[in-house]
Amino acid sequence: MPGPQRDERNGRAATFRVVPELPEVESVRRQLVPELTGRRIVDVWWDAHPHARLSDLDLAVGRRIEQIARRGKFLLCTLDPTEDGDPLELVLHLGMTGSFAIRPTEPTEATPSRTTTDHVRVRFDLDDGRTLRFTDPRRFGRASVIPAGDYVDRIPTLATLGPEPLSPAFDADVFAAGLASTSAPVKAKLLDQRLVAGVGNIYADEALWRARIHPTSRRVGRARALRLHQAIVEVLAAAVEREGTTFRDYQMVNGESGRYADFLDAYGQGDRPCHRCGEAMRRTVVAQRGTTYCPRCQR
DNA sequence: CACGCCTCCTGTGCGC
DNA sequence: TGCGCACAGGAGGCGT
């Protein structure tokens, strides 16, 4: 699951968190499936906060988790139908800093005092004596129970979410047409979630580097769009295969400076030589997001 | 509608 | 040592 990682930038070590994107969320999903499928939720607690994106979680009490699917960066848990036959759905989003843990259920009298500092935002007590904890320091995550599939009214972003990039629904021609009919920077369109689902800041930079497209490019012709389509699929598929581990642990080389493994070619590579042409990678801001690219091979 | 800027939040690094 | 500030970003809101 996403967690603190080592960074080495300009000779200084730093820690930061891996922001979960499609591969990381898929990895989390695969870990949750064997633990949660078939389990009944017997009690729920959640953090009341003015801006908490947590809603109607009490509706999950008494329900059984039937399936855990993923759309983009969302986890979708099907709950069994209510007495009147309406199936419910638990929608989860990790935001920037969300993570899950499954632990033995603690006695209720032992828990309240811990809630302010441990950043646990939601607890789902399960019928097997364990608790699913949703921890989210920055509160950008979300957890909502909705009538199954009622995205248009309840979670519009899900209703307008683009195709899954690792499925046949991600059509190259549709993608190219979508890029052709816009004036926004191509990176903004990748982050937008409507052209393609699940791409975030890291894999947007990686895919653009691989396709040799400048992140601020506002005119992406068909040939480059097809290249980018292919790059998105390759970058995400490779990351899913690595179980969403975006970064490998910081490693020392001959007792000198450490470096990333070769997983990342763009993100976080500012000032380093481009893995393809050796030019110094450059850092800028696109769509209010830190962006790294090669000024020579990405035009 | 499309685009793009602003805000939510908090841990962390860095300058002084 | 400690203070204050900048920075990180997914998604939602809002102004143009």
Side-chain angles (χ1 to χ4, degrees):
Chain A
M1 304 214 185
Q5 303 287 327
R6 301 289 291 174
D7 179 20
E8 171 70 18
R9 201 172 293 170
N10 301 326
R12 295 185 201 89
T15 58
F16 62 97
R17 293 186 68 87
V18 175
V19 176
E21 302 183 29
L22 184 152
E24 288 74 30
V25 177
E26 176 61 20
S27 177
V28 169
R29 188 190 73 82
R30 291 178 184 181
Q31 293 173 65
L32 292 180
V33 163
E35 305 295 334
L36 298 183
T37 304
R39 294 272 64 80
R40 196 171 292 279
I41 296 169
V42 297
D43 199 4
V44 176
W45 169 93
W46 73 94
D47 179 21
H49 184 277
H51 295 101
R53 293 193 270 257
L54 312 171
S55 60
D56 294 326
L57 299 181
D58 50 318
L59 296 180
V61 174
R63 310 265 157 252
R64 199 169 58 88
I65 299 169
E66 294 188 327
Q67 287 187 339
I68 304 175
R70 180 192 53 75
R71 273 289 279 135
K73 304 170 198 171
F74 288 87
L75 288 171
L76 308 174
C77 309
T78 311
L79 307 177
D80 60 349
T82 58
E83 287 78 3
D84 53 21
D86 293 334
L88 297 175
E89 192 170 341
L90 171 62
V91 179
L92 303 168
H93 195 296
L94 296 172
M96 280 188 67
T97 56
S99 64
F100 294 105
I102 299 173
R103 299 277 185 277
T105 300
E106 298 176 2
T108 33
E109 65 268 20
T111 49
S113 61
R114 307 181 53 236
T115 57
T116 50
T117 54
D118 62 7
H119 303 123
V120 174
R121 308 304 183 197
V122 186
R123 293 195 303 262
F124 296 97
D125 291 347
L126 307 173
D127 62 356
D128 63 354
R130 298 189 300 168
T131 294
L132 172 67
R133 285 196 249 161
F134 179 47
T135 301
D136 182 23
R138 291 188 198 174
R139 300 180 189 271
F140 280 19
R142 132 170 253 160
S144 305
V145 174
I146 65 170
D150 187 16
Y151 306 138
V152 175
D153 292 328
R154 306 296 291 272
I155 305 176
T157 302
L158 254 177
T160 59
L161 200 59
E164 280 298 312
L166 299 181
S167 82
F170 187 37
D171 183 86
D173 291 315
V174 173
F175 179 73
L179 281 183
S181 63
T182 179
S183 63
V186 58
K187 179 169 176 180
K189 297 304 288 183
L190 292 184
L191 298 176
D192 177 85
Q193 305 300 303
R194 287 179 293 184
L195 214 46
V196 56
V199 176
N201 201 40
I202 296 172
Y203 296 109
D205 277 8
E206 292 302 302
L208 288 166
W209 180 87
R210 181 176 277 248
R212 280 173 271 138
I213 297 170
H214 197 287
T216 64
S217 177
R218 290 171 191 269
R219 278 190 252 157
V220 177
R222 179 176 165 79
R224 294 201 304 160
L226 296 182
R227 239 168 44 215
L228 182 55
H229 177 276
Q230 179 73 14
I232 290 168
V233 171
E234 290 172 357
V235 162
L236 292 179
V240 168
E241 197 148 325
R242 299 195 306 268
E243 300 182 319
T245 309
T246 308
F247 304 116
R248 184 184 291 173
D249 285 345
Y250 170 86
Q251 294 176 349
M252 299 300 285
V253 179
N254 297 329
E256 295 184 345
S257 63
R259 56 184 270 282
Y260 287 126
D262 298 328
F263 291 150
L264 293 178
D265 292 305
Y267 184 85
Q269 304 292 308
D271 295 331
R272 293 192 190 162
C274 170
H275 290 169
R276 189 166 42 215
C277 75
E279 182 84 4
M281 299 287 283
R282 194 165 296 171
R283 189 182 150 79
T284 183
V285 175
V286 181
Q288 291 80 51
R289 298 292 173 256
T291 299
T292 309
Y293 66 100
C294 171
R296 186 193 284 177
C297 36
Q298 291 173 258
R299 303 287 183 180

